[in-house]
Amino acid sequence: GNGQLIAFAPAFPATSTGNLPPLISDLRSATADRAFAPLVNNQDEARTVAGLFRAHLAIGDEASLAQFMDLAPGAGAIHLATHAFSHATDPRLSGILFHGTDGGEVLEGFRIEHLPLSADLVVLSACETGIGTPRPGEGVISLAREFQYAGARSVVMSLWQVDDLATRQIMERFYHHLAEGLGKADALAAAKRWYRMEYPDEPASKWAAFVLVGDNAPVRLRKPSSGTPWAVGIIVAVVLAGGVWLRRRSRSA
């Protein structure tokens, strides 16, 4: 990857399946019969995550499948804060939802596995991304596994339907720990411990869903450049000093 994080957070303002394309509705019919609930925290989650590293942020209308397909092959890390679903019988038909002009776009597992990824980390901040079908000799085939097939070195996945707010809180804390230099698994464990201490009365379903598969090495992502304002100031000072020196020289001449 190029050391850049890409963070996608489509808009899901209403609880409805009526505005979804027929393909998504058909795929959903094989899963638990539930609507895709509104997401009110995923865009703020993506903004926070993108602010910690050199990142490309795509939220709302900009979080399109076409843009993801364009950016994903070169990304150093991928964060998807969206809806996903697990197909009951064919894991290759499980999908991740993006924003689309027709109400929504879906990226299915069979397309994910053919992406030429080199990402150090893929975070699937969505429901059921680690659920799938057991396959002899390979384990559970899920959306997370499809990203591994595509080349991702580590994937954060969920084992059941997750809570919108709790997910945001855990993910933000996870990325703060990554920015501090913790290993990926250590950062996720620390984020979950923080949530348990901060909200001791919340059930385990709120914090235990997310697990990491892959290595525990720290992420190789670039931080936002904090030296830029100072560099601009130095350049301005040099230019001003040079102007003063030239004026003095011309006057003495």
Side-chain angles (χ1 to χ4, degrees):
N2 59 10
Q4 183 183 53
L5 167 74
I6 61 172
F8 279 66
F12 297 99
T15 303
S16 173
T17 56
N19 66 338
L20 294 174
L23 175 61
I24 296 179
S25 298
D26 291 345
L27 292 176
R28 265 201 65 263
S29 66
T31 70
D33 187 15
R34 61 180 175 84
F36 293 111
L39 293 181
V40 298
N41 289 285
N42 68 321
Q43 294 189 28
D44 286 337
E45 172 189 319
R47 288 188 186 96
T48 299
V49 166
L52 293 169
F53 298 97
R54 179 173 172 263
H56 178 95
L57 175 64
I59 60 175
D61 296 355
E62 296 179 355
S64 67
L65 178 56
Q67 183 170 188
F68 174 79
M69 298 295 279
D70 182 54
L71 295 174
I78 297 169
H79 184 84
L80 299 178
T82 182
H83 275 306
F85 58 89
S86 173
H87 196 281
T89 58
D90 188 349
R92 299 178 73 248
L93 295 181
S94 297
I96 297 172
L97 271 62
F98 288 81
H99 186 87
T101 55
D102 55 359
E105 302 166 319
V106 63
L107 176 60
E108 306 93 335
F110 67 85
R111 286 202 283 171
I112 293 170
E113 68 181 57
H114 295 295
L115 289 172
L117 299 183
S118 58
D120 191 32
L121 174 66
V122 173
V123 177
L124 304 178
S125 182
C127 295
E128 303 180 349
T129 53
I131 294 178
T133 303
R135 184 176 293 171
E138 294 188 69
V140 175
I141 307 302
S142 63
L143 289 168
R145 179 61 67 86
E146 301 288 8
F147 275 99
Q148 288 184 294
Y149 287 153
R153 283 182 284 276
S154 297
V155 182
V156 172
M157 62 184 185
S158 61
L159 300 179
W160 51 77
Q161 295 181 31
V162 295
D163 179 79
D164 183 29
L165 177 58
T167 295
R168 172 190 169 185
Q169 293 167 322
I170 290 172
M171 287 299 168
E172 290 179 348
R173 183 65 54 160
F174 169 56
Y175 275 91
H176 276 292
H177 288 312
L178 289 178
E180 293 169 349
L182 267 66
K184 294 184 281 285
D186 292 336
L188 183 59
K192 292 194 282 190
R193 285 195 300 269
W194 167 84
Y195 187 87
R196 293 181 66 187
M197 290 188 294
E198 194 74 13
Y199 305 99
D201 297 328
E202 293 287 4
S205 60
K206 290 285 187 75
W207 58 264
F210 288 102
V211 296
L212 182 136
V213 290
D215 64 61
N216 187 38
V219 293
R220 295 171 292 178
L221 292 173
R222 299 175 186 174
K223 300 287 185 65
S225 177
S226 58
T228 301
W230 291 99
V232 172
I234 292 172
I235 292 172
V236 171
V238 169
V239 171
L240 291 175
V244 171
W245 180 80
L246 287 173
R247 284 197 299 272
R248 288 177 176 174
R249 184 178 179 185
S250 62
R251 286 174 183 172
S252 62

